[in-house]
Amino acid sequence: MSRRGDWVYENNGGTCVAIAGADYCVVAADTRLSVGYSILTRNHSKICDLADKCVLASSGFQGDIKALHKNLAARELLYQHQHNKRMSCPGMAQLLSNTLYYKRFFPYYAFNVLGGLDSEGKGCVFTYDAVGSYERTGYSAQGTGSSLIMPVLDNQLKSPSPLLLPARDAVTPLSESEAVDLVKDVFASATERDIYTGDKLEIVVINKAGTKREYIELRKD
């Protein structure tokens, strides 16, 4: 099928996952960057540190993703100078929603998962569509492997329905180490079945002590 000459979007693949716990948040993404059946690089990070104990993982068109991350980092720096403090994770979630919605007629081709700690120290995950509609959940996945990963997360974590009254926290019942192990398992499974996910897994764990990164190898074919 021929592509129109003015078509400017390209999906560079990859998968992002985030899980929120009682006092932690795990955000993970693979490092493969692809176009069609070609791998451009095996060491491209999809995770960006944005605000205080808050990271953003994005999948989609890397040109738009870089522009979005640069825009958000500049806005956060302005906020930091004006208010003499870092932006909170829920504040960054609203800023990201506004930024995506502002571009809704020519949107950023980026599918985002924002994870971190809220003002009470609880883990929080915000999941987005391409034009800024977002929701706070206990876990989420975006990208080419999300349809393979979300059923496993639904089965293992069973997030309460937002329609239940009284409202319940959407944090997962797993400990931090169990959540990290679950992330490793779902990526190992998705890598077997999605050609755009693989090479290496970058895992960011956010808790009250700070942020730490871990890398594990995935399939390279």
Side-chain angles (χ1 to χ4, degrees):
M1 184 177 72
S2 62
R3 178 172 290 173
R4 274 188 8 222
D6 59 348
W7 182 255
V8 296
Y9 292 121
E10 184 88 60
N11 191 346
N12 296 120
T15 306
C16 309
V17 169
I19 298 176
D23 58 353
Y24 69 87
C25 183
V26 178
V27 181
D30 71 303
T31 63
R32 177 174 292 180
L33 185 66
S34 314
V35 173
Y37 294 110
S38 301
I39 296 175
L40 301 180
T41 177
R42 299 181 186 273
N43 294 292
H44 177 79
S45 176
K46 297 179 176 69
I47 300 177
C48 175
D49 293 300
L50 283 179
D52 186 32
K53 294 183 179 175
C54 173
V55 299
L56 174 64
S58 305
S59 174
F61 175 46
Q62 286 303 312
D64 280 357
I65 289 170
K66 284 297 182 187
L68 176 62
H69 288 184
K70 189 175 179 180
N71 187 348
L72 292 173
R75 297 284 295 276
E76 201 280 332
L77 187 61
L78 282 173
Y79 179 93
Q80 194 174 339
H81 289 317
Q82 290 171 353
H83 299 274
N84 203 27
K85 65 177 181 178
R86 301 292 303 275
M87 191 180 292
S88 67
C89 190
M92 180 56 72
Q94 183 65 60
L95 175 62
L96 176 55
S97 175
N98 294 348
T99 303
L100 293 172
Y101 187 70
Y102 176 78
K103 289 269 290 179
R104 65 192 179 279
F105 297 118
F106 189 26
Y108 290 113
Y109 191 24
F111 302 95
N112 303 284
V113 179
L114 187 77
L117 302 182
D118 63 14
S119 56
E120 299 175 357
K122 293 181 180 178
C124 54
V125 169
F126 299 89
T127 185
Y128 293 79
D129 70 1
V131 291
S133 177
Y134 77 110
E135 176 187 11
R136 180 170 177 171
T137 62
Y139 56 90
S140 182
Q142 293 277 17
T144 53
S146 60
S147 59
L148 301 169
I149 289 177
M150 278 305 290
V152 181
L153 297 181
D154 287 334
N155 177 263
Q156 293 295 310
L157 302 177
K158 297 181 176 65
S159 181
S161 169
L163 301 177
L164 290 177
L165 292 175
R168 289 189 284 167
D169 283 341
V171 298
T172 60
L174 302 182
S175 68
E176 182 181 306
S177 60
E178 289 173 334
V180 171
D181 289 342
L182 177 60
V183 165
K184 292 177 180 177
D185 288 343
V186 296
F187 266 96
S189 176
T191 303
E192 297 286 338
R193 296 164 178 84
D194 176 29
I195 64 171
Y196 301 110
T197 301
D199 293 318
K200 195 182 294 183
L201 175 62
E202 180 182 9
I203 303 172
V204 178
V205 180
I206 307 163
N207 52 36
K208 62 182 180 182
T211 302
K212 61 180 180 180
R213 270 178 165 75
E214 179 184 350
Y215 296 88
I216 67 167
E217 296 294 323
L218 297 173
R219 283 189 63 149
K220 297 185 183 299
D221 56 355

